[in-house]
Amino acid sequence: MTTTVPALHTRTAEGSGLQAVLLDMDGTLVDTEGFWWEVEVEIFAALGHTLDDSWRHVVVGGPMTRSAGFLIEATGADIALADLTGLLNQGFEDRIDHALPLMPGATRLLAELAAQRIPTALVSASHRRIIDRVLTSLGPHHFTLTVAGDEVARTKPHPDPYLLAASGLGVDPARCAVVEDTVTGVAAAEAAGCHVVAVPSVAPIAPAARRTVVNSLEEVNLAFLHSLMAA
């Protein structure tokens, strides 16, 4: 976990039940879920295997070790897990060096949260090396702290990353709004006891208790997040 903004006690969400906003990265703030799949397809093609497009729904949003392990098992490819994760990280980095498109509404939402001094965390299953590269485009000043998938013993769909983020911010998970794009991420946030805004990227997500589904980040603003706590 990396803290990027000091003096957490000065960043508050007074006058509301909302204490903090916790944001996923890939597919939520940056339009990169397709990048990961493209890299996976290319690597396995070089190994002599074709990935079934239906597997994309299995690997999206999960920790890299789980996704990579699934693809090795599904294809029978002759490659070690550690070697594959290294190739995946490098292939992804090469892509974001050329283009890193943000999701519609992401820039405006981050600016609004920062302007209103809402404690905000970036919580991703991606490794630290990837998060730090992406932060150069998102702006590290937008986040009080960041949590990477390789910094927790159990990453999404376990609640650990969101519990760590809430603890680092000194807030109650039940008074945090989480924005996620995958079933895996939603499961992690709900297991942590957070209110969830789901913005589905690859696979559909159904509404549920303490879960609101929207079509785009353009529908999400601070007033909307405050309303989740009131409800």
Side-chain angles (χ1 to χ4, degrees):
M1 180 177 67
T2 297
T3 300
T4 56
V5 177
L8 299 183
H9 65 279
T10 67
R11 297 170 60 86
T12 62
E14 295 177 359
S16 168
L18 178 67
Q19 290 185 335
V21 177
L22 316 178
L23 298 150
D24 174 54
M25 187 176 76
D26 293 299
T28 299
L29 293 176
V30 289
D31 191 8
T32 50
E33 291 291 10
F35 287 9
W36 284 112
W37 182 247
E38 290 169 7
V39 171
E40 289 159 350
V41 168
E42 289 182 5
I43 290 173
F44 278 88
L47 294 170
H49 299 277
T50 300
L51 300 188
D52 190 312
D53 196 59
S54 66
W55 295 343
R56 185 177 178 182
H57 291 234
V58 179
V59 300
V60 68
M64 183 176 295
T65 52
R66 188 199 71 183
S67 300
F70 168 82
L71 293 174
I72 290 173
E73 183 176 353
T75 61
D78 184 18
I79 185 170
L81 181 61
D83 293 337
L84 178 56
T85 57
L87 290 173
L88 289 171
N89 275 322
Q90 187 58 57
F92 183 81
E93 287 186 50
D94 291 343
R95 271 172 170 71
I96 63 177
D97 278 343
H98 298 96
L100 184 58
L102 270 61
M103 299 298 288
T107 300
R108 187 264 314 150
L109 177 60
L110 290 174
E112 183 179 9
L113 295 174
Q116 297 301 316
R117 301 181 64 80
I118 304 299
T120 304
L122 185 67
V123 183
S124 177
S126 291
H127 289 186
R128 171 55 56 187
R129 60 184 279 194
I130 298 297
I131 287 182
D132 287 345
R133 293 288 287 275
V134 174
L135 278 172
T136 61
S137 295
L138 287 175
H141 60 283
H142 286 124
F143 304 98
T144 313
L145 61 82
T146 60
V147 177
D150 55 344
E151 295 173 341
V152 290
R154 302 185 308 169
T155 189
K156 305 173 187 179
H158 298 287
D160 305 37
Y162 283 111
L163 292 174
L164 180 62
S167 175
L169 292 173
V171 297
D172 179 359
R175 293 177 65 184
C176 293
V178 169
V179 185
E180 272 280 0
D181 72 304
T182 67
V183 172
T184 300
V186 167
E190 291 181 340
C194 305
H195 291 260
V196 179
V197 179
V199 192
S201 59
V202 175
I205 300 173
R210 297 175 66 87
R211 181 196 310 167
T212 303
V213 181
V214 299
N215 295 315
S216 166
L217 282 183
E218 293 182 315
E219 300 177 39
V220 181
N221 57 27
L222 187 53
F224 175 83
L225 296 174
H226 280 317
S227 73
L228 297 180
M229 303 298 127

